[in-house]
Coordinates of all heavy atoms in Angstrom, one line a residue:
G1163 N -130.2 208.4 -57.6 CA -131.0 207.6 -58.5 C -131.5 208.4 -59.7 O -131.2 209.6 -59.8
V1164 N -132.1 207.8 -60.5 CA -132.7 208.4 -61.7 C -134.1 208.9 -61.4 O -134.9 208.1 -60.9 CB -132.7 207.4 -62.9 CG1 -133.1 208.2 -64.2 CG2 -131.5 206.7 -63.1
P1165 N -134.3 210.3 -61.5 CA -135.6 210.8 -61.2 C -136.8 210.2 -62.1 O -136.6 210.0 -63.2 CB -135.5 212.3 -61.5 CG -134.1 212.5 -61.6 CD -133.4 211.3 -62.0
G1166 N -137.8 209.9 -61.3 CA -139.0 209.4 -61.9 C -139.1 207.9 -62.2 O -140.0 207.3 -62.8
L1167 N -137.9 207.3 -62.0 CA -137.8 205.9 -62.3 C -137.9 205.0 -61.0 O -137.3 205.4 -60.1 CB -136.5 205.5 -62.9 CG -136.3 206.1 -64.5 CD1 -135.0 205.6 -65.1 CD2 -137.5 205.7 -65.3
Q1168 N -138.7 203.9 -61.0 CA -138.9 203.2 -59.8 C -137.9 202.1 -59.8 O -137.3 201.6 -60.9 CB -140.3 202.7 -59.7 CG -140.7 201.9 -60.8 CD -142.3 201.3 -60.5 OE1 -142.4 200.5 -59.7 NE2 -143.2 201.7 -61.3
R1169 N -137.5 201.6 -58.7 CA -136.6 200.5 -58.5 C -137.5 199.1 -58.6 O -138.4 199.0 -57.9 CB -136.0 200.5 -57.1 CG -134.9 201.6 -56.9 CD -135.0 201.9 -55.5 NE -133.8 202.9 -55.2 CZ -132.8 202.5 -54.5 NH1 -132.7 201.3 -53.8 NH2 -131.9 203.4 -54.2
V1170 N -137.1 198.3 -59.6 CA -137.7 197.1 -59.8 C -136.9 195.9 -59.5 O -135.8 195.9 -60.1 CB -138.3 197.0 -61.3 CG1 -139.1 195.8 -61.5 CG2 -139.1 198.3 -61.6
T1171 N -137.3 194.9 -58.7 CA -136.5 193.8 -58.5 C -136.9 192.7 -59.3 O -138.0 192.7 -60.0 CB -136.9 193.3 -56.9 OG1 -138.3 192.9 -56.9 CG2 -136.5 194.4 -56.0
P1172 N -136.1 191.7 -59.5 CA -136.4 190.7 -60.4 C -137.7 189.9 -60.0 O -138.5 189.5 -60.9 CB -135.2 189.7 -60.2 CG -134.1 190.6 -59.8 CD -134.7 191.6 -59.0
S1173 N -138.0 189.8 -58.8 CA -139.2 189.2 -58.3 C -140.5 190.0 -58.8 O -141.5 189.4 -59.1 CB -139.3 188.8 -56.9 OG -139.2 189.9 -56.0
Q1174 N -140.4 191.3 -58.7 CA -141.4 192.2 -59.2 C -141.6 192.0 -60.6 O -142.8 192.0 -61.2 CB -141.1 193.6 -58.8 CG -141.4 194.0 -57.4 CD -140.9 195.4 -56.9 OE1 -140.0 195.9 -57.6 NE2 -141.5 196.0 -56.0
L1175 N -140.5 192.0 -61.3 CA -140.5 192.0 -62.8 C -141.3 190.7 -63.2 O -142.0 190.7 -64.2 CB -139.2 192.0 -63.3 CG -138.9 191.8 -64.8 CD1 -139.6 193.0 -65.6 CD2 -137.5 191.8 -65.3
K1176 N -141.0 189.7 -62.5 CA -141.6 188.4 -62.8 C -143.2 188.4 -62.8 O -143.8 187.5 -63.4 CB -141.1 187.3 -61.8 CG -140.5 186.0 -62.5 CD -140.0 185.1 -61.4 CE -138.5 184.9 -61.5 NZ -138.0 184.0 -60.4
T1177 N -143.7 189.3 -61.9 CA -145.2 189.4 -61.8 C -145.8 190.2 -63.0 O -147.0 190.2 -63.3 CB -145.6 190.0 -60.6 OG1 -145.3 191.4 -60.5 CG2 -145.1 189.3 -59.4
M1178 N -145.0 190.9 -63.8 CA -145.5 191.8 -64.9 C -145.5 191.1 -66.2 O -144.7 191.4 -67.1 CB -144.7 193.1 -64.9 CG -144.6 193.8 -63.6 SD -146.1 194.3 -62.8 CE -146.4 195.7 -63.8
T1179 N -146.4 190.2 -66.2 CA -146.4 189.2 -67.4 C -147.4 189.6 -68.5 O -147.3 188.9 -69.5 CB -147.0 187.9 -66.8 OG1 -148.3 188.0 -66.3 CG2 -146.0 187.3 -65.8
G1180 N -148.1 190.7 -68.4 CA -149.1 191.1 -69.3 C -150.4 190.3 -69.2 O -151.3 190.4 -70.0
R1181 N -150.4 189.4 -68.2 CA -151.7 188.7 -67.9 C -152.3 189.1 -66.5 O -151.7 189.9 -65.7 CB -151.3 187.2 -67.8 CG -150.8 186.6 -69.1 CD -150.8 185.0 -69.1 NE -150.0 184.6 -68.0 CZ -148.7 184.3 -68.1 NH1 -148.1 184.4 -69.3 NH2 -148.0 183.8 -67.0
K1182 N -153.5 188.7 -66.3 CA -154.3 189.0 -65.1 C -154.3 190.5 -65.0 O -154.2 191.0 -63.8 CB -153.6 188.5 -63.9 CG -153.7 186.9 -64.0 CD -152.9 186.3 -62.8 CE -153.0 184.8 -62.9 NZ -152.0 184.2 -61.9
G1183 N -154.6 191.4 -66.0 CA -154.7 192.8 -66.0 C -153.5 193.5 -65.7 O -153.6 194.8 -65.6
K1184 N -152.4 193.0 -65.7 CA -151.1 193.6 -65.5 C -150.4 193.9 -66.9 O -150.6 193.0 -67.8 CB -150.2 192.8 -64.7 CG -150.7 192.8 -63.2 CD -149.5 192.2 -62.3 CE -149.9 192.2 -60.9 NZ -148.8 192.0 -60.0
P1185 N -149.7 195.1 -67.0 CA -149.0 195.3 -68.2 C -147.8 194.3 -68.2 O -147.4 193.8 -67.2 CB -148.5 196.7 -68.0 CG -148.6 197.1 -66.6 CD -149.6 196.1 -66.0
A1186 N -147.3 194.1 -69.5 CA -146.0 193.4 -69.6 C -144.8 194.2 -69.5 O -144.7 195.2 -70.3 CB -146.1 192.6 -71.0
W1187 N -143.9 193.8 -68.6 CA -142.7 194.5 -68.5 C -141.6 193.6 -68.9 O -141.7 192.4 -68.8 CB -142.3 195.0 -67.0 CG -143.3 196.1 -66.6 CD1 -144.3 196.7 -67.3 CD2 -143.2 196.7 -65.3 NE1 -144.9 197.7 -66.5 CE2 -144.3 197.7 -65.3 CE3 -142.4 196.6 -64.2 CZ2 -144.4 198.5 -64.1 CZ3 -142.7 197.4 -63.1 CH2 -143.6 198.3 -63.0
S1188 N -140.5 194.2 -69.4 CA -139.4 193.5 -69.8 C -138.1 194.3 -69.5 O -138.0 195.5 -69.7 CB -139.4 193.1 -71.2 OG -138.3 192.3 -71.6
S1189 N -137.0 193.7 -69.0 CA -135.8 194.5 -68.8 C -134.7 194.3 -69.9 O -134.8 193.3 -70.6 CB -135.2 194.1 -67.4 OG -134.8 192.8 -67.4
Y1190 N -134.0 195.3 -70.0 CA -132.9 195.3 -71.0 C -131.8 196.2 -70.5 O -132.0 197.4 -70.2 CB -133.5 195.8 -72.4 CG -132.5 195.7 -73.4 CD1 -132.1 194.6 -74.1 CD2 -132.0 197.0 -74.1 CE1 -131.2 194.6 -75.0 CE2 -131.1 197.0 -75.1 CZ -130.6 195.8 -75.6 OH -129.7 195.8 -76.6
M1191 N -130.6 195.7 -70.5 CA -129.4 196.4 -70.1 C -129.7 197.3 -68.8 O -129.3 198.4 -68.6 CB -129.1 197.5 -71.2 CG -128.8 196.8 -72.4 SD -127.0 196.2 -72.6 CE -126.1 197.6 -72.9
G1192 N -130.4 196.6 -67.9 CA -130.5 197.2 -66.5 C -131.7 198.0 -66.3 O -132.0 198.6 -65.3
K1193 N -132.4 198.4 -67.4 CA -133.7 199.2 -67.3 C -134.9 198.3 -67.5 O -134.7 197.3 -68.3 CB -133.6 200.4 -68.4 CG -132.8 201.5 -68.0 CD -132.9 202.7 -68.9 CE -131.8 203.6 -68.8 NZ -131.9 204.6 -70.0
V1194 N -136.0 198.8 -67.0 CA -137.3 198.1 -67.1 C -138.2 198.8 -68.0 O -138.3 200.0 -67.8 CB -137.8 197.8 -65.7 CG1 -139.1 197.1 -65.8 CG2 -136.9 197.1 -64.8
Y1195 N -138.8 198.2 -69.0 CA -139.7 198.9 -69.9 C -141.0 198.2 -69.9 O -141.2 197.0 -69.7 CB -139.1 198.7 -71.4 CG -137.8 199.2 -71.5 CD1 -136.6 198.6 -71.1 CD2 -137.6 200.6 -72.1 CE1 -135.4 199.2 -71.3 CE2 -136.3 201.0 -72.3 CZ -135.2 200.3 -71.9 OH -134.0 200.9 -72.0
N1196 N -142.1 199.1 -70.2 CA -143.4 198.5 -70.4 C -143.6 198.2 -71.8 O -143.6 199.3 -72.6 CB -144.5 199.6 -69.9 CG -145.8 199.2 -70.1 OD1 -146.0 197.9 -70.4 ND2 -146.8 200.1 -69.9
I1197 N -143.6 197.0 -72.1 CA -143.7 196.7 -73.6 C -145.0 196.6 -74.1 O -145.3 196.4 -75.3 CB -143.0 195.3 -73.9 CG1 -143.5 194.1 -73.1 CG2 -141.4 195.5 -73.6 CD1 -142.9 192.8 -73.5
T1198 N -146.2 196.7 -73.2 CA -147.4 196.5 -73.6 C -147.9 197.5 -74.8 O -148.6 197.1 -75.8 CB -148.5 196.8 -72.5 OG1 -148.2 195.5 -71.6 CG2 -149.9 196.7 -72.9
P1199 N -147.5 198.8 -74.7 CA -148.1 199.7 -75.8 C -147.4 199.4 -77.2 O -147.9 199.7 -78.2 CB -147.6 201.0 -75.3 CG -147.1 200.9 -73.9 CD -146.7 199.5 -73.7
Y1200 N -146.2 198.7 -77.1 CA -145.5 198.4 -78.4 C -146.0 197.2 -79.0 O -145.7 196.9 -80.2 CB -144.0 198.3 -78.1 CG -143.1 198.1 -79.4 CD1 -143.2 199.0 -80.4 CD2 -142.4 197.0 -79.3 CE1 -142.3 198.8 -81.6 CE2 -141.7 196.7 -80.6 CZ -141.7 197.6 -81.6 OH -140.9 197.3 -82.6
L1201 N -146.6 196.2 -78.2 CA -147.0 195.0 -78.7 C -147.6 194.9 -80.1 O -147.2 194.1 -81.0 CB -147.9 194.2 -77.8 CG -147.3 193.5 -76.6 CD1 -148.2 193.2 -75.5 CD2 -146.5 192.3 -76.9
P1202 N -148.6 195.8 -80.4 CA -149.3 195.7 -81.6 C -148.4 196.2 -82.8 O -148.8 195.9 -84.0 CB -150.5 196.7 -81.6 CG -150.6 197.0 -80.1 CD -149.3 196.8 -79.4
F1203 N -147.3 196.8 -82.4 CA -146.4 197.5 -83.5 C -145.2 196.6 -83.8 O -144.4 196.8 -84.8 CB -146.0 198.8 -83.1 CG -147.1 199.7 -82.9 CD1 -147.5 200.0 -81.5 CD2 -147.8 200.3 -83.9 CE1 -148.5 200.9 -81.4 CE2 -148.9 201.2 -83.7 CZ -149.3 201.5 -82.4
H1204 N -144.9 195.5 -83.0 CA -143.8 194.8 -83.2 C -143.8 194.0 -84.5 O -144.7 193.1 -84.6 CB -143.7 193.8 -82.0 CG -142.4 192.9 -82.0 ND1 -142.4 191.5 -81.9 CD2 -141.1 193.3 -82.2 CE1 -141.2 191.0 -82.1 NE2 -140.2 192.1 -82.2
P1205 N -142.8 194.1 -85.3 CA -142.7 193.6 -86.7 C -142.6 192.0 -86.6 O -143.1 191.3 -87.4 CB -141.5 194.2 -87.3 CG -141.3 195.4 -86.7 CD -141.7 195.2 -85.2
G1206 N -142.2 191.6 -85.4 CA -141.9 190.0 -85.3 C -143.3 189.5 -84.6 O -143.3 188.3 -84.4
G1207 N -144.3 190.3 -84.4 CA -145.5 189.8 -83.8 C -145.6 189.7 -82.4 O -144.5 189.8 -81.6
E1208 N -146.8 189.8 -81.8 CA -147.0 189.9 -80.4 C -146.4 188.7 -79.6 O -145.7 188.8 -78.6 CB -148.5 190.1 -80.0 CG -149.0 191.5 -80.6 CD -150.4 191.8 -79.9 OE1 -150.7 191.3 -78.9 OE2 -150.9 192.9 -80.4
P1209 N -146.7 187.5 -80.0 CA -146.2 186.2 -79.3 C -144.7 186.2 -79.2 O -144.2 185.8 -78.1 CB -146.6 185.1 -80.3 CG -147.9 185.6 -80.9 CD -147.6 187.0 -81.3
E1210 N -143.9 186.6 -80.1 CA -142.5 186.8 -80.1 C -142.1 187.7 -79.0 O -141.3 187.4 -78.1 CB -141.8 187.1 -81.4 CG -141.9 186.1 -82.4 CD -141.0 184.8 -82.0 OE1 -139.7 185.1 -81.9 OE2 -141.4 183.8 -81.8
L1211 N -142.7 188.9 -79.0 CA -142.3 190.0 -77.9 C -142.7 189.4 -76.6 O -142.0 189.8 -75.6 CB -143.0 191.3 -78.4 CG -142.6 192.4 -77.5 CD1 -141.1 192.6 -77.4 CD2 -143.3 193.7 -78.2
M1212 N -143.9 188.8 -76.5 CA -144.3 188.3 -75.2 C -143.5 187.3 -74.5 O -143.6 187.1 -73.3 CB -145.8 187.7 -75.4 CG -146.9 188.8 -75.4 SD -146.9 190.0 -73.9 CE -147.6 188.8 -72.8
K1213 N -142.6 186.7 -75.3 CA -141.5 185.8 -74.8 C -140.7 186.5 -73.8 O -140.0 185.8 -72.9 CB -140.7 185.1 -75.9 CG -141.5 184.0 -76.7 CD -140.5 183.5 -77.8 CE -141.3 182.5 -78.7 NZ -140.4 182.1 -79.9
A1214 N -140.6 187.8 -73.9 CA -139.7 188.5 -73.1 C -140.4 189.1 -71.9 O -139.8 189.8 -71.0 CB -139.0 189.6 -73.8
A1215 N -141.7 188.9 -71.8 CA -142.6 189.5 -70.7 C -142.2 188.9 -69.4 O -142.0 187.6 -69.2 CB -144.0 189.3 -71.1
G1216 N -142.1 189.9 -68.4 CA -141.9 189.3 -67.0 C -140.3 188.9 -66.8 O -140.0 188.4 -65.8
R1217 N -139.5 189.3 -67.7 CA -138.1 188.8 -67.5 C -137.2 189.7 -68.4 O -137.6 190.6 -69.1 CB -138.0 187.3 -67.9 CG -138.2 186.9 -69.3 CD -138.5 185.4 -69.3 NE -138.4 184.8 -70.7 CZ -137.3 184.4 -71.2 NH1 -136.1 184.5 -70.7 NH2 -137.3 183.9 -72.4
D1218 N -135.9 189.4 -68.4 CA -134.9 190.1 -69.1 C -135.0 189.7 -70.6 O -135.0 188.5 -70.9 CB -133.5 189.9 -68.5 CG -132.6 190.9 -69.2 OD1 -132.5 192.0 -68.7 OD2 -132.0 190.5 -70.3
G1219 N -135.2 190.7 -71.5 CA -135.3 190.4 -72.9 C -134.0 190.5 -73.6 O -134.1 190.1 -74.9
G1220 N -133.0 190.8 -73.0 CA -131.8 191.0 -73.7 C -131.2 189.9 -74.6 O -130.9 190.1 -75.8
K1221 N -131.3 188.6 -74.0 CA -130.7 187.5 -74.7 C -131.5 187.2 -76.0 O -131.0 187.0 -77.1 CB -130.6 186.3 -73.8 CG -129.8 185.2 -74.4 CD -129.5 184.1 -73.3 CE -128.8 182.9 -73.9 NZ -129.6 182.0 -74.6
L1222 N -132.8 187.1 -75.8 CA -133.7 186.8 -77.0 C -133.6 187.9 -78.0 O -133.5 187.7 -79.2 CB -135.2 186.8 -76.5 CG -135.7 185.5 -75.9 CD1 -137.0 185.8 -75.2 CD2 -135.7 184.4 -76.8
F1223 N -133.6 189.2 -77.6 CA -133.5 190.3 -78.5 C -132.2 190.2 -79.4 O -132.2 190.5 -80.5 CB -133.5 191.5 -77.6 CG -133.4 192.8 -78.4 CD1 -134.5 193.4 -78.9 CD2 -132.2 193.5 -78.6 CE1 -134.6 194.7 -79.5 CE2 -132.2 194.7 -79.3 CZ -133.3 195.2 -79.8
M1224 N -131.1 189.9 -78.6 CA -129.8 190.0 -79.3 C -129.6 188.8 -80.3 O -128.9 188.7 -81.3 CB -128.7 189.9 -78.4 CG -128.5 191.3 -77.5 SD -128.3 192.7 -78.6 CE -126.5 192.6 -78.9
E1225 N -130.4 187.7 -79.9 CA -130.3 186.4 -80.8 C -131.1 186.8 -82.1 O -130.7 186.2 -83.2 CB -131.1 185.3 -80.2 CG -130.3 184.5 -79.2 CD -131.0 183.5 -78.3 OE1 -132.3 183.3 -78.6 OE2 -130.4 182.9 -77.4
V1226 N -132.0 187.6 -82.1 CA -132.9 187.9 -83.3 C -132.5 189.1 -84.1 O -132.3 189.1 -85.3 CB -134.4 188.0 -82.9 CG1 -135.3 188.1 -84.1 CG2 -134.9 186.8 -82.0
H1227 N -132.3 190.2 -83.4 CA -132.0 191.5 -84.2 C -131.2 192.5 -83.3 O -131.7 193.5 -82.8 CB -133.4 192.2 -84.7 CG -134.5 192.2 -83.6 ND1 -134.3 192.4 -82.3 CD2 -135.8 191.9 -83.7 CE1 -135.4 192.3 -81.6 NE2 -136.4 192.0 -82.5
P1228 N -129.8 192.0 -83.2 CA -128.9 192.9 -82.4 C -128.9 194.4 -83.1 O -128.4 195.3 -82.3 CB -127.6 192.1 -82.5 CG -127.7 191.2 -83.6 CD -129.2 190.9 -83.8
W1229 N -129.3 194.6 -84.3 CA -129.2 195.9 -84.9 C -130.3 196.8 -84.6 O -130.2 198.0 -84.9 CB -129.1 195.8 -86.5 CG -130.3 195.0 -86.9 CD1 -131.5 195.6 -87.4 CD2 -130.5 193.7 -87.2 NE1 -132.5 194.7 -87.7 CE2 -131.9 193.4 -87.7 CE3 -129.6 192.5 -87.0 CZ2 -132.3 192.2 -88.0 CZ3 -130.1 191.3 -87.4 CH2 -131.5 191.1 -87.9
V1230 N -131.4 196.3 -83.9 CA -132.5 197.0 -83.7 C -132.2 198.0 -82.3 O -131.6 197.5 -81.4 CB -133.7 196.2 -83.4 CG1 -135.0 197.1 -82.9 CG2 -134.2 195.6 -84.7
N1231 N -132.5 199.2 -82.3 CA -132.3 200.1 -81.2 C -133.4 200.1 -80.2 O -134.4 200.8 -80.4 CB -132.1 201.5 -81.8 CG -131.8 202.5 -80.7 OD1 -131.8 202.2 -79.5 ND2 -131.4 203.8 -81.0
W1232 N -133.3 199.2 -79.2 CA -134.3 199.0 -78.3 C -134.6 200.4 -77.5 O -135.8 200.8 -77.4 CB -133.8 197.9 -77.3 CG -134.8 197.6 -76.1 CD1 -135.3 198.5 -75.3 CD2 -135.2 196.4 -75.7 NE1 -136.1 198.0 -74.3 CE2 -136.1 196.5 -74.5 CE3 -134.9 195.1 -76.0 CZ2 -136.6 195.5 -73.9 CZ3 -135.6 194.0 -75.3 CH2 -136.5 194.2 -74.2
E1233 N -133.6 200.9 -77.0 CA -133.7 202.1 -76.3 C -134.3 203.2 -77.0 O -135.2 204.0 -76.6 CB -132.3 202.6 -75.6 CG -132.3 203.9 -75.0 CD -133.2 203.9 -73.6 OE1 -133.3 202.8 -73.0 OE2 -133.6 205.0 -73.3
G1234 N -134.0 203.3 -78.4 CA -134.6 204.2 -79.2 C -136.1 204.1 -79.4 O -136.9 205.1 -79.5
M1235 N -136.5 202.9 -79.6 CA -137.8 202.6 -79.8 C -138.8 202.6 -78.6 O -139.9 202.9 -78.6 CB -138.0 201.2 -80.5 CG -137.2 201.1 -81.8 SD -137.5 199.7 -82.8 CE -139.2 199.9 -83.3
L1236 N -138.2 202.2 -77.3 CA -139.0 202.0 -76.2 C -138.6 202.9 -75.1 O -138.9 202.9 -74.0 CB -138.9 200.6 -75.7 CG -139.6 199.6 -76.6 CD1 -139.5 198.2 -75.8 CD2 -141.0 199.9 -76.8
G1237 N -137.7 204.0 -75.6 CA -137.3 205.0 -74.5 C -138.3 205.7 -73.7 O -138.3 206.0 -72.5
S1238 N -139.5 205.9 -74.4 CA -140.6 206.5 -73.7 C -141.4 205.6 -72.8 O -142.4 206.0 -72.2 CB -141.6 207.2 -74.8 OG -142.1 206.3 -75.6
C1239 N -141.1 204.2 -73.0 CA -141.8 203.3 -72.1 C -141.0 202.9 -70.9 O -141.4 201.8 -70.3 CB -142.1 202.1 -73.0 SG -143.2 202.5 -74.5
V1240 N -139.8 203.5 -70.6 CA -139.2 203.2 -69.4 C -139.9 203.3 -68.1 O -140.5 204.4 -68.0 CB -137.8 204.1 -69.3 CG1 -137.0 203.5 -68.0 CG2 -136.9 203.9 -70.5
V1241 N -139.9 202.3 -67.3 CA -140.7 202.4 -66.1 C -139.6 202.6 -64.8 O -140.1 203.0 -63.8 CB -141.7 201.4 -65.8 CG1 -142.9 201.6 -66.8 CG2 -141.1 200.0 -65.9
G1242 N -138.6 201.9 -65.0 CA -137.7 201.9 -63.9 C -136.3 201.2 -64.2 O -136.0 200.9 -65.3
I1243 N -135.6 201.1 -63.0 CA -134.3 200.4 -63.2 C -134.3 199.1 -62.4 O -134.9 198.9 -61.3 CB -133.1 201.2 -62.6 CG1 -133.4 201.8 -61.3 CG2 -132.8 202.4 -63.6 CD1 -132.2 202.4 -60.7
L1244 N -133.6 198.1 -62.9 CA -133.6 196.8 -62.2 C -132.6 196.8 -61.1 O -131.4 197.2 -61.3 CB -133.2 195.8 -63.3 CG -133.4 194.2 -63.0 CD1 -134.9 194.0 -62.8 CD2 -133.0 193.3 -64.1
V1245 N -132.9 196.4 -59.9 CA -132.1 196.4 -58.8 C -132.3 194.9 -58.1 O -133.2 194.3 -58.4 CB -132.5 197.4 -57.7 CG1 -132.3 198.8 -58.3 CG2 -133.9 197.2 -57.2
S1246 N -131.2 194.7 -57.3 CA -131.3 193.4 -56.6 C -132.3 193.4 -55.5 O -132.7 194.6 -55.1 CB -129.9 193.0 -56.1 OG -129.6 193.9 -55.0
E1247 N -132.7 192.3 -55.0 CA -133.8 192.3 -53.9 C -133.3 193.0 -52.7 O -134.1 193.8 -52.1 CB -134.1 190.8 -53.5 CG -134.4 189.9 -54.7 CD -135.8 190.2 -55.4 OE1 -136.7 190.8 -54.7 OE2 -135.9 189.7 -56.5
S1248 N -132.1 193.0 -52.4 CA -131.6 193.7 -51.1 C -131.5 195.2 -51.3 O -131.8 196.1 -50.5 CB -130.3 193.1 -50.7 OG -129.3 193.1 -51.8
E1249 N -131.2 195.6 -52.7 CA -131.0 197.1 -52.9 C -132.3 197.8 -52.7 O -132.5 198.9 -52.4 CB -130.6 197.3 -54.3 CG -129.0 197.4 -54.5 CD -128.6 197.5 -55.9 OE1 -128.8 196.5 -56.7 OE2 -128.3 198.6 -56.4
A1250 N -133.5 197.0 -53.1 CA -134.9 197.6 -53.1 C -135.2 198.1 -51.8 O -136.0 199.0 -51.6 CB -135.7 196.6 -53.7
K1251 N -134.7 197.4 -50.7 CA -135.2 197.8 -49.4 C -134.5 199.1 -48.8 O -135.2 199.7 -47.9 CB -134.7 196.6 -48.5 CG -135.5 195.3 -48.6 CD -135.2 194.3 -47.7 CE -135.8 192.9 -48.1 NZ -134.8 192.1 -48.7
S1252 N -133.4 199.5 -49.4 CA -132.7 200.8 -48.9 C -133.4 202.0 -49.3 O -134.1 201.9 -50.3 CB -131.2 200.7 -49.2 OG -131.1 200.7 -50.6
Ligands
HEM575 C1 -138.6 192.0 -85.9 C2 -138.3 195.5 -82.5 C3 -138.2 192.2 -79.0 C4 -138.5 188.7 -82.3 C5 -138.3 193.3 -85.2 C6 -138.1 194.5 -86.0 C7 -138.1 195.5 -85.0 C8 -138.3 194.8 -83.7 C9 -137.9 197.0 -85.3 C10 -137.8 194.6 -87.5 C11 -136.4 194.4 -87.6 C12 -136.0 194.4 -89.1 O1 -136.7 194.1 -90.0 O2 -134.7 194.6 -89.2 C13 -138.2 194.9 -81.3 C14 -138.1 195.7 -80.1 C15 -138.1 194.8 -79.1 C16 -138.2 193.5 -79.6 C17 -138.1 197.2 -79.8 C18 -138.0 195.1 -77.7 C19 -139.0 195.1 -76.8 C20 -138.2 191.0 -79.6 C21 -138.1 189.8 -78.9 C22 -138.1 188.8 -79.8 C23 -138.3 189.4 -81.1 C24 -137.9 189.6 -77.3 C25 -138.1 187.2 -79.7 C26 -138.5 186.6 -78.6 C27 -138.6 189.3 -83.4 C28 -138.6 188.5 -84.7 C29 -138.6 189.5 -85.8 C30 -138.6 190.7 -85.3 C31 -138.7 187.0 -84.9 C32 -138.5 189.2 -87.3 C33 -139.9 189.4 -87.9 C34 -139.8 189.1 -89.4 O3 -138.9 189.6 -90.0 O4 -140.7 188.5 -89.9 N1 -138.5 193.4 -83.9 N2 -138.3 193.6 -81.1 N3 -138.4 190.8 -80.9 N4 -138.5 190.6 -83.8 FE1 -138.4 192.1 -82.5

């Protein structure tokens, strides 16, 4: 595995909504990112970015700005890799 990265299942990701005291996480290309620190800096505004909270942001992201380098901007906010529910148990 990747050192320092936790395995995150889709059901865990779903709970990281940025509400109820939890940070907002979003996945992109198989990696999971904490988008909370970036929220105030997003040029498209917080509500737009929050649409990707707790789920995969790839589709929305690519619809709006495929030219933006997600990994380059949020590389330091990686928290884990997305795995299937069964993979998480091993
Ligand atoms: C604009 C970054 C996710 C909606 C931008 C811009 C950047 C950026 C750098 C300026 C782009 C430019 O002017 O060429 C990011 C990053 C994301 C992310 C790093 C990953 C977490 C999203 C999502 C949505 C979204 C998920 C929609 C649900 C928008 C919109 C603008 C914008 C609508 C245009 C703002 C305007 O020009 O008035 N974003 N974005 N972004 N973003 Fe995002």
Side-chain angles (χ1 to χ4, degrees):
V1164 188
L1167 294 186
Q1168 55 175 298
R1169 292 150 170 244
V1170 181
T1171 63
S1173 59
Q1174 286 173 328
L1175 178 61
K1176 233 179 240 180
T1177 67
M1178 305 306 281
T1179 56
R1181 296 191 304 266
K1182 296 176 183 166
K1184 291 192 171 188
W1187 289 3
S1188 182
S1189 63
Y1190 181 71
M1191 302 280 279
K1193 284 191 198 165
V1194 180
Y1195 300 80
N1196 180 7
I1197 59 174
T1198 296
Y1200 181 65
L1201 278 167
F1203 304 102
H1204 181 233
E1208 297 199 12
E1210 283 294 294
L1211 186 51
M1212 281 299 286
K1213 287 179 185 169
R1217 59 198 199 90
D1218 190 84
K1221 191 165 178 285
L1222 282 170
F1223 182 86
M1224 292 304 279
E1225 276 170 12
V1226 186
H1227 40 42
W1229 58 87
V1230 172
N1231 183 352
W1232 177 313
E1233 177 62 31
M1235 301 189 70
L1236 292 183
S1238 60
C1239 299
V1240 181
V1241 292
I1243 52 170
L1244 197 62
V1245 298
S1246 67
E1247 307 290 340
S1248 55
E1249 272 179 287
K1251 291 185 190 99
S1252 59

